[in-house]
Amino acid sequence: MRQQQTPAKPTMRDVGLLAGVSQSTVSHVVNRTGRIPEETEKRVRAAIEELGYRPNETARNLRLSRSRTIGLVTDAIASSPFAGRVLRGAEEYAWEQGYLLLLVDTKEDPSLESAAVEMLRARQVDGMLYAAMAWRGVDVPAGVAKLPSLLVNAWPSGVHKVPAIVPEEAAGGRLAAQAVIEAGHRRIAFLGGMADDPARIEREAGFREALSEAGIAPCEKWILSGDYRIGSGHALAHALLGEAERPTALVCGNDRMAVGAITAALERGLRVPQDVSIVGYDDQEDLADQISPGLTTVSIPHYEMGRIAVMHLLDALASGLAPVGASVPSSLVRRGSVAPPSAPQGPC
């Protein structure tokens, strides 16, 4: 009995014959090398799809001296409720470009961090990203600087000056303040995170800039420090809103502090936003859009930073040049927690 033969796998030559182009043109399309006219590339990709052609990744990677993998080391992002969007953005863009992302979350253990970097280098990743959960300076392990690399949501504070993809934190602080200024508020408090937190420092600077641009003198006794937790926002807001001359708008350091502030306002018998407007920061998933009223907040561009980081890294690999950093703007998400003040506004 004759054995049934397995159909031969389609080759680049078969794709070229079907698309009416040379085998070298197919190679340029598959490997993303050379400049191919858009119409020609469409024909080649249609032929690839029709024939079910799949390139030999092992042979291609050996030829190009590439592994088509990117290492991503993080401090604690994988367990974060919102910064994990960095991973999503990075992974999705890498996958679109035919790359795999190898992730190690070090749980803020410096020894694990160094070991992870060396393990990724041993696996011959083409480049590396180091992403931080909180915006801060980092002293990256030496191995990171030995490959085309970028920091994400961090800046270099050590000897290795790795370029960085960072959020525009001061601009985000301006957006948060402008949300209530544009609604007509002039009695505005700032309930920030820890006084020495880099993100808080930048956001407060942006807050002050927005007030200055609007001709509003900040009320220094209403610029306060907390710890980014719900209880902190609750305690600060509860005290402020009990004053005879209280603020009519609260700009909070993050969404959790804003939730605490909303609770405090309700306990004081105040309505949000009719009696007091509240703005958060982060646009935390399953929080900012789930409370009532929905929280007006500034969205940190975590997803965009992850995506842009991989984009810049792959551009560097393709060009042979060093990766280039970038600042990524935040955006204001308007929901129901901001309204015009219910009474005429005077200084604090």
Side-chain angles (χ1 to χ4, degrees):
M1 186 174 180
R2 181 179 292 180
Q3 269 190 328
Q4 188 174 6
Q5 289 187 336
T6 302
K9 292 182 179 179
T11 65
M12 280 193 183
R13 183 173 180 276
D14 298 328
V15 173
L17 288 172
L18 181 59
V21 299
S22 67
Q23 185 172 327
S24 64
T25 297
V26 177
S27 177
H28 282 311
V29 171
V30 169
N31 294 308
R32 296 183 175 89
T33 56
R35 300 177 67 86
I36 305 298
E38 184 179 350
E39 193 57 44
T40 301
E41 182 172 348
K42 284 182 179 177
R43 291 208 316 274
V44 171
R45 294 205 177 279
I48 287 172
E49 186 68 25
E50 182 175 337
L51 293 174
Y53 169 75
R54 294 293 178 268
N56 184 327
E57 291 293 342
T58 302
R60 180 169 71 171
N61 292 341
L62 286 172
R63 186 173 64 256
L64 297 174
S65 299
R66 296 271 176 85
S67 65
R68 299 189 75 80
T69 58
I70 295 170
L72 174 55
V73 177
T74 85
D75 49 9
I77 283 181
S79 58
S80 164
F82 52 93
R85 286 180 282 188
V86 168
L87 308 184
R88 193 184 311 160
E91 183 181 42
E92 287 183 3
Y93 187 79
W95 184 261
E96 289 168 15
Q97 303 304 312
Y99 276 73
L100 285 176
L101 206 64
L102 301 182
L103 165 68
V104 182
D105 191 285
T106 66
K107 302 175 180 64
E108 301 182 289
D109 182 339
S111 60
L112 179 56
E113 185 175 276
S114 296
V117 169
E118 293 310 310
M119 190 174 292
L120 289 168
R121 289 183 62 220
R123 280 162 174 70
Q124 299 183 325
V125 294
D126 296 329
M128 198 171 300
L129 303 176
Y130 181 102
M133 183 177 74
W135 189 71
R136 62 183 178 89
V138 297
D139 185 4
V140 296
V144 173
K146 293 178 181 178
L147 288 173
S149 300
L150 282 164
L151 301 181
V152 186
N153 201 37
W155 71 89
S157 62
V159 296
H160 305 293
K161 301 305 179 185
V162 178
I165 306 296
V166 296
E168 295 180 356
E169 291 283 12
R174 281 199 301 274
L175 285 174
Q178 286 166 352
V180 292
I181 291 170
E182 290 170 1
H185 293 272
R186 298 181 66 83
R187 301 173 60 81
I188 307 168
F190 179 83
L191 311 185
M194 294 73 73
D196 60 350
D197 175 63
R200 178 255 164 76
I201 292 169
E202 290 293 305
R203 293 171 193 176
E204 181 184 334
F207 170 86
R208 289 179 179 275
E209 287 171 11
L211 265 61
S212 177
E213 290 165 4
I216 302 171
C219 186
E220 297 299 332
K221 67 179 181 179
W222 291 346
I223 296 180
L224 304 173
S225 297
D227 63 8
Y228 292 129
R229 298 180 182 178
I230 290 175
S232 170
H234 177 272
L236 294 173
H238 204 280
L240 280 180
L241 297 176
E243 295 180 1
E245 295 294 323
R246 61 174 178 80
T248 61
L250 308 179
V251 172
C252 298
N254 69 356
D255 292 345
R256 283 171 287 187
M257 290 186 73
V259 168
I262 289 173
T263 304
L266 297 176
E267 289 174 357
R268 287 286 185 183
L270 300 173
R271 300 166 299 166
V272 179
Q274 293 90 339
D275 299 318
V276 59
S277 289
I278 296 176
V279 178
Y281 207 106
D282 285 342
D283 195 24
Q284 186 171 331
E285 288 185 40
D286 299 324
L287 178 64
D289 62 344
Q290 296 298 311
I291 61 173
S292 182
L295 184 62
T296 292
T297 185
V298 175
S299 175
I300 302 176
H302 285 118
Y303 177 87
E304 292 79 4
M305 286 192 291
R307 190 173 178 87
I308 289 169
V310 175
M311 187 183 303
H312 282 214
L313 189 57
L314 296 189
D315 285 347
L317 292 173
S319 68
L321 301 175
V324 177
S327 296
V328 186
S330 299
S331 58
L332 181 69
V333 181
R334 297 182 186 274
R335 296 193 179 97
S337 63
V338 173
S342 57
Q345 294 281 288
C348 70

